[in-house]
Amino acid sequence: MSNYSTNTDMLRAEIAAAAARLIAEDGADYATAKRKAAKQVLGNAKVRGEIMPDNAQVEDEVRIYNELFFGDTQPARLQHLRKLAVRLMEDLACFSPYLTGAVLNGTAGEHSDIHLQLFAESAKDVEIFLINKNVDFDVSETAHFSGRGEPVETVSFMWNNEGVHLALYETDDLRGAIKAGPDGKPTRSNVDAVRALLGGT
């Protein structure tokens, strides 16, 4: 008997699994991976909204994929990135850094970067801090975690041979940042919580 109650559930699961492979193997971001996976599964057919898996379902599939195909290397890779994240967060302590993304949720692999959210009086304060550390960075934008308002400035650079992305929020945003996600899991964690993750792995 099928585990899927409808064809829609089956298609959604198939797209999630295909997206997970693109994320784990190629380092694709979730939105790109889901779009490409839907095309692989459905061809050029129009994708109905209910067929597209949410990020939580894709994340679960990434975990399964990592266990199946990268079980001998992924845990050490994750540990390495979390240790680097702690060092970086200690350096950036004056900007209330929070870790987010794959390094936090445990799905980080070979192509994963470190994503931090900083909370500062001004984005320029962070830029000046990095310039004084002789960090050569690029500037882009990231959607606000609230899903509302203007995108936030993001600075990206290489550090210890790893990609780092710092999303620069205002200090007032910190109040909304510490809420859990829809699934009850933290979507960002401070340095103490990341240290605790290292202690438990």
Side-chain angles (χ1 to χ4, degrees):
M1 184 173 174
S2 172
N3 290 326
Y4 302 107
S5 58
T6 66
N7 285 338
T8 297
D9 289 341
M10 190 165 66
L11 284 172
R12 190 184 301 119
E14 195 174 343
I15 291 170
R21 182 183 61 78
L22 290 168
I23 291 165
E25 295 282 359
D26 303 331
D29 64 77
Y30 276 59
T32 301
K34 289 194 291 186
R35 188 172 64 250
K36 287 185 176 180
K39 188 172 180 62
Q40 288 175 11
V41 173
L42 300 171
N44 291 320
K46 185 173 176 59
V47 181
R48 300 196 313 275
E50 69 269 18
I51 289 178
M52 194 65 81
D54 61 19
N55 285 355
Q57 184 175 2
V58 175
E59 183 182 314
D60 288 341
E61 290 293 336
V62 175
R63 293 182 196 283
I64 293 168
Y65 195 95
N66 281 337
E67 288 173 12
L68 283 174
F69 298 103
F70 300 115
D72 55 339
T73 59
Q74 192 268 340
R77 170 70 177 158
L78 175 61
Q79 187 87 338
H80 169 69
L81 288 172
R82 282 177 170 171
K83 286 179 178 176
L84 284 181
V86 166
R87 286 174 51 195
L88 191 56
M89 293 169 84
E90 289 170 347
D91 284 348
L92 295 165
C94 58
F95 302 116
S96 303
Y98 279 71
L99 178 66
T100 189
V103 179
L104 174 61
N105 69 34
T107 61
E110 179 185 353
H111 302 285
S112 298
D113 293 341
I114 297 170
H115 290 262
L116 298 180
Q117 295 174 348
L118 306 187
F119 298 85
E121 293 295 333
S122 166
K124 289 296 178 191
D125 293 342
V126 179
E127 292 181 2
I128 291 167
F129 179 91
L130 294 174
I131 289 169
N132 288 338
K133 295 276 189 178
N134 297 314
V135 175
D136 185 19
F137 56 85
D138 295 317
V139 179
S140 60
E141 290 185 336
T142 301
H144 196 290
F145 62 72
S146 68
R148 302 182 299 274
E150 296 293 320
V152 297
E153 185 175 310
T154 300
V155 295
S156 303
F157 53 91
M158 295 299 295
W159 184 71
N160 284 275
N161 298 315
E162 302 292 350
V164 173
H165 308 278
L166 309 179
L168 310 182
Y169 290 88
E170 296 179 357
T171 50
D172 287 347
D173 288 321
L174 189 53
R175 286 195 296 270
I178 56 177
K179 296 175 182 174
D183 56 2
K185 297 177 182 176
T187 55
R188 57 192 59 78
S189 290
N190 63 20
V191 68
D192 289 337
V194 181
R195 288 195 194 101
L197 287 175
L198 283 171
T201 55

